[in-house]
Amino acid sequence: MADVYDVAVVGGGPAGLMAAKIAGENGLSVALLERKENITAIQRSCATMFAIEDEYYFGERMYFNEEQGRLVFPVTGFSLPYTGPYKNFYAWHVYTPDAGHYIKVGDYDANVQKGNKGRLSVTYSKKELLENLLADAEAAGVKMFTGANVIDHRREGDVNHLITAEGHEFRSVFTIAADGINSRMMKLLGLNKERSFFGTLVGVSYYMTGLSLPHPEAILFPQLFHKTTQYPIMIWVEPSPYGEDEYWVYAGGPSHPDIDYKAELDRCIADSSFSNWFADAELQRKQAHVANIWSPAPTPFKDNVLITGDAGWTVEAECTMSMMSGLKAAHAVSEALREHKPNQEGVQNYIDWWKHHFTDSMDYTEFLTVLTSGLVGEDMATYLYGLVTDTLPCSLNPYNLFNNVNAAIMRNMPKIQGERPDIIAKLQSLGAMPIEEQMRNIIESGFPNT
Ligand SMILES: Cc1cc2nc3c(=O)[nH]c(=O)nc-3n(C[C@H](O)[C@H](O)[C@H](O)COP(=O)(O)OP(=O)(O)OC[C@H]3O[C@@H](n4cnc5c(N)ncnc54)[C@H](O)[C@@H]3O)c2cc1C
């Protein structure tokens, strides 16, 4: 074990593996600490869309080039080999709870006709992506420590100390925190105190075969409602990259003591207006996730720890932004060490990059509309979604998606005024509330790791 590493990376997801690979390739001594025994085993639900191919997202215009087998990030300035399995999808359909109507995001038939050029994006193997990053990091000399659960961080003089639950200590000049959405590093550094908490998202996902879907190469998004609480349940069905006839089927939403999301997923499959999609379905594998919803870290740095990926963002940075920030953080550390500035000044370009591309250019409250748009309840949501008959622009950006849907609903205002004045009154009272008040119940039933 090196006495003091140039950099210790906490977490071996997309952000941490990318950070370790780049720092190793740049010639730094690097330790990567991952609490799982098997770094590339995917235990947490992920839709594995290459997010996002159809527009700028996190300041990047990324795309998949299948001819070269590369994931390309032209703005940040890098590409990665990817020759694993993938599936195109061509539209996003948001269904009313009675399955009687769906909002079309993207023109499915026209896009299918165009083939690869018409797709919204692809789903791809996160496992293969992580395996590639891990192989590169190992080839670059990164020391991997698995089964290493970081439980404490201290800064003593000019050295950072990481302590693991297993009783080991790692020392480094810089630390890169890449420990994901419920980051313990953010808590240890006290950085969650600078953020607002908006509740906890929980979900369950199944990989299934044998589905009969109306549009098999689209993302299907039935909106259900919990019977007693009337909380919106987000159901999500999309092509899985992992098997020929396989789909990823998900149910999730804000945590609530009365809601069992696995039971809701089973209800959707066995006893809902969508059950005919699943008549011959077979369950292959299950996963789940828990994710705290925070406002983004305003400054992704403290005590010589650089924050990357989900650890510092709002649900979710996506694998793409996580890799971008891992790469940028590793380059910033390399430059700081060459300049003999092992401090905040040395990595200021990373902090500026984060602020410019993320906190300053993306409004995290837009994401919250994914959660608040269903708060009107089943009856009103069914009516309102039923009004949207035009095909909406192809956007997968969760920060715009429901804004686009809401704007399309608002174009029907005169009709709503005539037919459902009760809905206007409800929307006005919700609209007059600050977001914290709209989400009060969701926030109160969450469990923050401050
Ligand atoms: C339902 C759902 C759907 C999603 N769909 C997509 C999608 O379609 N496309 C997309 O790009 N992204 C998607 N995401 C988001 C994506 O999964 C994450 O944004 C991405 O994995 C974040 O990468 P990360 O490296 O920042 O964190 P993570 O992938 O969470 O990695 C963090 C790593 O740190 C380790 N760790 C945590 N704590 C410690 C500790 N104390 N000590 C040591 N190690 C630790 C963890 O074991 C983990 O390996 C989805 C997420 C969810 C929940």
Side-chain angles (χ1 to χ4, degrees), residues 50 60 62 71-80 320 323-324:
F50 186 60
E60 183 52 271
M62 64 283 266
L71 304 171
V72 185
F73 296 74
V75 179
T76 322
F78 71 102
S79 68
L80 291 171
T320 40
M323 291 191 291
M324 285 154 53

Side-chain angles (χ1 to χ4, degrees), residues 10-16 33-36 39 44-51 124 126 148-151 178-181 184 236 238 248 250 289 291 308-311 316-320 322:
V10 183
L33 282 58
E34 165 57 54
R35 73 178 167 197
K36 291 187 298 188
I39 295 190
R44 183 173 176 267
S45 297
C46 182
T48 67
M49 294 186 295
F50 186 60
Y124 69 113
K126 184 175 180 181
N149 183 11
V150 173
I151 55 167
D179 54 340
I181 197 81
R184 188 191 283 262
W236 191 343
E238 65 166 42
W248 184 79
Y250 169 88
H289 78 101
T308 61
D310 272 3
E316 297 263 349
E318 315 289 358
C319 297
T320 40
S322 293

Side-chain angles (χ1 to χ4, degrees), residues 43-335:
Q43 296 172 343
R44 183 173 176 267
S45 297
C46 182
T48 67
M49 294 186 295
F50 186 60
I52 297 173
E53 236 198 8
D54 64 330
E55 60 191 295
Y56 279 90
Y57 191 42
F58 293 116
E60 183 52 271
R61 191 69 175 83
M62 64 283 266
Y63 60 93
F64 172 46
N65 179 328
E66 52 274 16
E67 283 85 32
Q68 297 297 323
R70 295 196 82 86
L71 304 171
V72 185
F73 296 74
V75 179
T76 322
F78 71 102
S79 68
L80 291 171
Y82 180 78
T83 53
Y86 71 93
K87 295 230 185 97
N88 288 346
F89 57 89
Y90 297 94
W92 182 307
H93 291 165
V94 183
Y95 277 80
T96 52
D98 61 2
H101 177 76
Y102 60 90
I103 299 174
K104 302 181 198 71
V105 177
D107 184 335
Y108 183 83
D109 292 329
N111 289 344
V112 168
Q113 290 289 318
K114 293 183 205 150
N116 288 349
K117 288 197 165 44
R119 70 182 178 218
L120 260 57
S121 191
V122 296
T123 58
Y124 69 113
S125 163
K126 184 175 180 181
K127 183 169 172 51
E128 180 132 347
L129 177 79
L130 295 185
E131 283 168 354
N132 288 348
L133 291 172
L134 175 63
D136 284 356
E138 283 177 331
V142 173
K143 299 273 184 298
M144 298 289 167
F145 297 90
T146 54
N149 183 11
V150 173
I151 55 167
D152 201 8
H153 157 83
R154 287 196 310 271
R155 181 153 179 80
E156 289 173 6
D158 291 339
V159 177
N160 280 353
H161 297 248
L162 291 171
I163 318 293
T164 69
E166 300 74 25
H168 300 298
E169 181 169 346
F170 294 83
R171 298 189 291 163
S172 59
V173 180
F174 282 103
T175 306
I176 294 181
D179 54 340
I181 197 81
N182 305 316
S183 166
R184 188 191 283 262
M185 288 298 291
M186 290 295 285
K187 177 178 172 166
L188 291 169
L189 290 162
L191 287 176
N192 283 345
K193 297 199 175 82
E194 297 176 6
R195 311 168 82 188
S196 304
F197 176 70
F198 291 98
T200 303
L201 266 183
V202 293
V204 174
S205 50
Y206 292 167
Y207 285 95
M208 304 188 86
T209 50
L211 274 62
S212 307
L213 299 172
H215 299 97
E217 293 178 283
I219 295 184
L220 306 180
F221 213 70
Q223 182 126 63
L224 294 187
F225 287 81
H226 185 249
K227 286 221 172 352
T228 51
T229 63
Q230 275 293 293
Y231 266 39
I233 310 284
M234 197 193 302
I235 306 284
W236 191 343
V237 182
E238 65 166 42
S240 151
Y242 295 108
E244 191 50 41
D245 167 43
E246 194 173 85
Y247 284 83
W248 184 79
V249 185
Y250 169 88
S255 70
H256 187 287
D258 294 343
I259 306 180
D260 170 350
Y261 282 96
K262 180 180 176 307
E264 291 303 306
L265 185 52
D266 291 338
R267 175 169 74 94
C268 174
I269 290 168
D271 184 22
S272 77
S273 309
F274 303 92
S275 298
N276 59 329
W277 296 358
F278 303 97
D280 301 315
E282 279 182 35
L283 174 61
Q284 304 297 333
R285 302 179 301 287
K286 298 179 200 173
Q287 288 169 345
H289 78 101
V290 175
N292 276 334
I293 313 163
W294 293 98
S295 58
T299 302
F301 181 89
K302 189 174 175 186
D303 288 351
N304 262 29
V305 182
L306 292 83
I307 313 300
T308 61
D310 272 3
W313 188 246
T314 290
V315 172
E316 297 263 349
E318 315 289 358
C319 297
T320 40
M321 181 283 218
S322 293
M323 291 191 291
M324 285 154 53
S325 57
L327 173 135
K328 283 284 181 185
H331 281 315
V333 165
S334 308
E335 187 185 354

Side-chain angles (χ1 to χ4, degrees), residues 297-407:
T299 302
F301 181 89
K302 189 174 175 186
D303 288 351
N304 262 29
V305 182
L306 292 83
I307 313 300
T308 61
D310 272 3
W313 188 246
T314 290
V315 172
E316 297 263 349
E318 315 289 358
C319 297
T320 40
M321 181 283 218
S322 293
M323 291 191 291
M324 285 154 53
S325 57
L327 173 135
K328 283 284 181 185
H331 281 315
V333 165
S334 308
E335 187 185 354
L337 292 172
R338 297 297 288 182
E339 285 295 306
H340 305 291
K341 290 182 182 164
N343 48 35
Q344 176 157 354
E345 186 194 346
V347 295
Q348 189 60 42
N349 61 6
Y350 175 70
I351 299 167
D352 294 344
W353 174 83
W354 172 283
K355 286 183 192 242
H356 175 68
H357 283 290
F358 305 139
T359 45
D360 293 352
S361 63
M362 291 182 62
D363 178 358
Y364 72 92
T365 61
E366 309 268 297
F367 173 81
L368 302 177
T369 58
V370 174
L371 302 172
T372 55
S373 63
L375 290 178
V376 290
E378 178 164 357
D379 163 58
M380 290 190 187
T382 304
Y383 172 78
L384 291 173
Y385 285 16
L387 295 174
V388 182
T389 50
D390 33 337
T391 301
L392 302 185
C394 296
S395 172
L396 285 182
N397 183 337
Y399 292 79
N400 294 336
L401 184 66
F402 278 83
N403 276 345
N404 290 345
V405 172
N406 291 342

